[in-house]
Amino acid sequence: MTDTTATPPNDPAGPWAIPVRRPLPGDGKPRSGTSFPRKVWNLLVGIKDALALIFLLIFFALLFGLLAGRPNAALPVSKGALVVDFDGIVTEQPSDVDPLAALSGGNQLKEIRTRDVVRALETAATDKRVTSVVLDLDRFLGGGQVSLAEIGAAVDKVRAAKKPVLAFATAYTTDSYQVAAHASEIWSDDIGGVAIAGPGGSRLYYKGLMDKLGITAHIYRVGTFKSAVEPYLRSDQSPEAKEADMAYAGALWENWLTEVKKARPKAKIDAFVADTAGAVKAAANDLSKAGVDAGLIDKVGSRMAFSARVAEISGADDDSRPWEFNAIPLENWVAANPPETKGAAIAVVPVVGEIVDGETGGGSAGGDTIAEHILDAVADSGTKAIVLRVDSPGGSVLASEQIRQALLQAKAKKLPVVVSMANVAASGGYWVSTPADRIFAEPETITGSIGVFGIIPSFDQALAKIGVNADGIATTPLSGQPDVFGGVNDEFNAMAQASVEDIYARFTGLVAKSRKQPIEKIREIAEGRVWAGGTARQIGLVDQFGGLPDALAAAAKLAKIDGAYHAKYYEEEPSEFSRMLASLTGAEQEQEAALPRGWFGIAAMNRELAERRLVQDMALFTKAGSVQASCLDCRAFLPAVPRAGDAQAKGLLATLALLLK
């Protein structure tokens, strides 16, 4: 067929010319059919491009913040004072920065890793670049007693090397003074002083509130001393719980006194603690003077006076500013002195915080996460032994068993397994310790609590109070059970109690087998009772006293390692993203500014910590369906930091607040 399309004369493009659209009447003016959607599309494209640019800028800002804020191995001075800022809490494993909290300006307590402080002090003792050590305890919110004792022992090594150690705080509490007692000079502000409280205090009981709201707590437990569930069953503490708490709290207090008296033999600590108010009255109501009179404080002065004293020892960078001494920050010193990696590798797997199902970041012990770390260590041909470092009050039975099963893979491969207990290794924390060839603990360690429980709340009575009722059908006695709206029936209660009793039998059986003791003896020391490390050793739950270095030495001996060895940690580190957020948002600087100084500030922070413990109690209540091997009382001996499950607990608290209106 012939193409009859006409080509204009002398058209150089010929028949391949691109047709040019001729203007139609009205072109150049908006047309309702096409212009408005096109404008909307262009607007969306513009928003997309702007967001892409913004996210690109944020990425580079985060990257810059990370690189600028990360500790540098290059030290700021050639010689000076190593400054250990205890701004926040001491913990075995810091948790990630909460992205939402950081971006919204919320505070997250700074967490200082125990082993970083210990290693920094031990290396400083023999390094000529460090001429003195400063312990800044002005904003210290505490830590576990074992961790603080380890830091104190490291301070003693600096003192033994004839290097001055100076401590400063506006006001000292039980935890901060445990560390400061090891210093060669203890300074206090003239409006501060020392007040030692010792272990103890009250906790909340919710039975009256739950009755008022119509909430029923269905409790399934085994163990006379399993007091973790008492806040939901009683309005006060049971005599059995008081007996157990007094026993181990008394042991911890005696250990605290022994350590402080050894560090400060001339201090009149007993008389001061027995009648602090009388000592203050005798000092004309001057608490700092009362501390000096009792030998607890060496010098009273401002922070500027303290800094000038440090400058006398370690020098000042600028003679015109004698109150600014040559300082080496802890983070820089840690970065400049990484741990040695000579010899054989002994895997160290920390189990820190509550044991929960699934995966978690640092500061919590997710069953999947910890088991994966253990299996990674087992699969590594260079691993000669495994040390489980436990600092946990327990938690999920399923997650605890998952961790234990991973340890059994190490045993199957003939790898020695040694457990090193830190501040707390109770309930699930002891469950995961049962495969160990040897268990190390300190006299201040809290352990035991061999018992299990389950909690399921139901809200049928609460709903009835507001005119809401639940009804339906059932094809079997367990249809729809547990029915949190219509009520839990007797058949489910019987089944749940039987399941808890079965798990308790498994728990005590594991302990009896691992400790090579008759089951009858284990039942006598179980029942959910909590023990201090010294007593735990006497009754056979612990093999010997010692810290992590002792556990590593025992693991090396069991593995028949000749020569050097080193610890290779398998753990979750704070993510690069969380570090970027902390640096970019200034979260660390903001939270340092918010930390308390002085007695009234400490009292205010104690209120906030009490609120966090309330949230933790509610978090336990929200874990319906998960059988727990957890020691609720033991958490009072660990810092109250936000952990997994807090968000759900806060939601429950908000709901309860609405119901009370």
Side-chain angles (χ1 to χ4, degrees):
M1 192 171 180
T2 306
D3 184 4
T4 57
T5 303
T7 302
N10 303 321
D11 186 349
W16 297 278
I18 298 175
V20 179
R21 178 179 174 274
R22 303 299 182 189
L24 297 174
D27 268 14
K29 297 180 180 180
R31 295 194 303 277
S32 60
T34 60
S35 181
F36 180 72
R38 183 176 298 163
K39 284 188 174 184
V40 172
W41 173 255
N42 290 338
L43 176 63
L44 293 175
V45 171
I47 292 173
K48 182 261 295 180
D49 292 341
L51 288 175
L53 179 60
I54 290 172
F55 279 115
L56 190 62
L57 291 173
I58 290 176
F59 170 77
F60 283 111
L62 288 171
L63 184 61
F64 173 78
L66 175 65
L67 295 176
R70 179 178 292 176
N72 197 310
L75 301 180
V77 294
S78 58
K79 279 189 177 184
L82 172 64
V83 180
V84 184
D85 275 323
F86 291 90
D87 290 341
I89 59 175
V90 166
T91 179
E92 282 288 312
Q93 185 184 70
S95 56
D96 277 356
V97 173
D98 183 350
L100 294 178
L103 291 174
S104 62
N107 286 331
Q108 180 164 339
L109 292 180
K110 182 179 178 181
E111 300 175 48
I112 306 115
R113 185 155 54 187
T114 306
R115 73 172 187 264
D116 288 345
V117 178
V118 170
R119 172 160 179 78
L121 291 170
E122 290 179 342
T123 54
T126 57
D127 196 307
K128 294 181 179 179
R129 292 175 292 179
V130 175
T131 53
S132 67
V133 170
V134 170
L135 306 176
D136 191 339
L137 296 154
D138 207 18
R139 293 182 172 89
F140 186 40
L141 297 178
Q145 195 165 324
V146 170
S147 297
L148 302 185
E150 290 177 355
I151 293 172
V155 173
D156 290 342
K157 292 180 180 179
V158 179
R159 296 274 309 272
K162 308 300 181 184
K163 293 187 178 183
V165 179
L166 300 92
F168 179 86
T170 300
Y172 291 98
T173 61
T174 308
D175 284 357
S176 59
Y177 196 78
Q178 182 180 351
V179 177
H182 295 266
S184 50
E185 289 185 22
I186 301 178
W187 284 62
S188 169
D189 194 280
D190 59 359
I191 60 171
V194 181
I196 307 300
S202 62
R203 60 177 296 184
L204 297 176
Y205 290 80
Y206 308 103
K207 184 66 167 66
L209 173 64
M210 293 170 65
D211 289 343
K212 182 178 180 180
L213 295 173
I215 299 174
T216 303
H218 302 272
I219 307 293
Y220 315 97
R221 63 171 175 167
V222 183
T224 303
F225 297 93
K226 200 63 190 173
S227 58
V229 294
E230 283 193 355
Y232 315 107
L233 286 175
R234 300 174 57 98
S235 298
D236 59 357
Q237 190 175 31
S238 69
E240 294 83 3
K242 282 191 175 182
E243 175 191 347
D245 287 1
M246 280 300 298
Y248 70 77
L252 296 180
W253 176 236
E254 287 300 321
N255 291 330
W256 188 95
L257 285 173
T258 299
E259 178 184 344
V260 171
K261 288 177 181 178
K262 182 180 178 181
R264 304 281 294 183
K266 295 182 180 180
K268 304 171 185 176
I269 184 72
D270 288 326
F272 185 84
V273 171
D275 188 12
T276 304
V280 173
K281 186 176 181 181
N285 295 331
D286 188 336
L287 184 56
S288 60
K289 184 178 183 302
V292 173
D293 293 342
L296 300 176
I297 297 172
D298 296 307
K299 296 185 180 180
V300 174
S302 66
R303 175 175 286 276
M304 187 173 293
F306 173 78
S307 297
R309 168 61 178 150
V310 179
E312 290 177 6
I313 300 170
S314 296
D317 184 56
D318 186 347
D319 292 338
S320 65
R321 304 174 71 85
W323 56 86
E324 293 183 359
F325 57 88
N326 291 326
I328 303 173
L330 172 68
E331 293 79 7
N332 295 71
W333 185 257
V334 170
N337 294 275
E340 294 182 353
T341 56
K342 295 179 181 178
I346 297 177
V348 179
V349 183
V351 180
V352 178
E354 187 178 1
I355 299 175
V356 298
D357 298 315
E359 297 181 351
T360 60
S364 294
D368 290 348
T369 303
I370 304 300
E372 183 179 354
H373 287 323
I374 294 170
L375 295 177
D376 286 345
V378 172
D380 189 340
S381 59
T383 300
K384 302 302 180 185
I386 293 179
V387 172
L388 201 70
R389 177 67 167 175
V390 183
D391 194 26
S392 170
S396 165
V397 167
L398 292 176
S400 300
E401 176 61 11
Q402 187 176 5
I403 295 170
R404 189 185 77 88
Q405 289 292 333
L407 287 172
L408 293 181
Q409 295 301 312
K411 303 280 287 185
K413 199 176 176 182
K414 307 299 182 184
L415 290 174
V417 175
V418 176
V419 164
S420 171
M421 294 180 171
N423 303 288
V424 174
S427 281
Y430 196 88
W431 186 300
V432 301
S433 303
T434 54
D437 297 302
R438 292 199 71 75
I439 296 178
F440 285 79
E442 299 286 7
E444 303 89 350
T445 300
I446 300 170
T447 188
S449 189
I450 301 168
V452 296
F453 66 89
I455 302 176
I456 295 180
S458 65
F459 304 92
D460 46 313
Q461 297 180 40
L463 293 174
K465 289 185 177 184
I466 58 174
V468 178
N469 296 299
D471 199 4
I473 63 167
T475 56
T476 73
L478 295 179
S479 293
Q481 292 294 321
D483 190 343
V484 297
F485 300 122
V488 180
N489 63 24
D490 292 339
E491 287 83 355
F492 180 85
N493 283 334
M495 184 186 70
Q497 181 62 32
S499 176
V500 168
E501 291 178 3
D502 175 64
I503 293 173
Y504 178 73
R506 292 172 185 264
F507 196 173
T508 53
L510 286 174
V511 176
K513 182 179 179 181
S514 66
R515 306 315 299 162
K516 298 180 175 60
Q517 296 186 14
I519 187 66
E520 293 78 16
K521 182 178 179 181
I522 296 302
R523 287 171 181 161
E524 291 176 2
I525 62 177
E527 294 283 332
R529 183 158 185 166
V530 181
W531 306 95
T535 309
R537 184 184 179 189
Q538 294 175 6
I539 61 179
L541 292 178
V542 169
D543 290 307
Q544 63 191 89
F545 293 145
L548 183 57
D550 301 293
L552 288 167
K557 185 176 180 180
L558 290 170
K560 299 180 180 178
I561 296 174
D562 293 326
Y565 57 86
H566 68 275
K568 182 178 180 181
Y569 281 84
Y570 289 78
E571 63 180 343
E572 295 297 302
E573 291 285 354
S575 67
E576 295 295 323
F577 179 66
S578 70
R579 289 172 178 168
M580 289 184 194
L581 279 178
S583 176
L584 181 70
T585 61
E588 291 185 355
Q589 288 79 5
E590 289 179 9
Q591 60 107 35
E592 286 175 12
L595 291 177
R597 296 174 59 216
W599 297 116
F600 287 97
I602 291 171
M605 179 55 70
N606 284 338
R607 176 191 58 78
E608 182 177 335
L609 296 180
E611 291 175 356
R612 290 183 177 178
R613 295 205 186 280
L614 173 61
V615 170
Q616 289 175 343
D617 286 349
M618 292 297 102
L620 178 65
F621 200 59
T622 62
K623 294 170 184 172
S626 176
V627 178
Q628 298 285 303
S630 182
C631 178
L632 196 62
D633 290 338
C634 301
R635 298 188 311 190
F637 297 90
L638 292 171
V641 294
R643 289 298 188 231
D646 285 1
Q648 298 93 321
K650 289 179 180 177
L652 178 59
L653 282 173
T655 303
L656 293 178
L658 290 174
L659 290 173
L660 287 171
K661 287 184 177 180

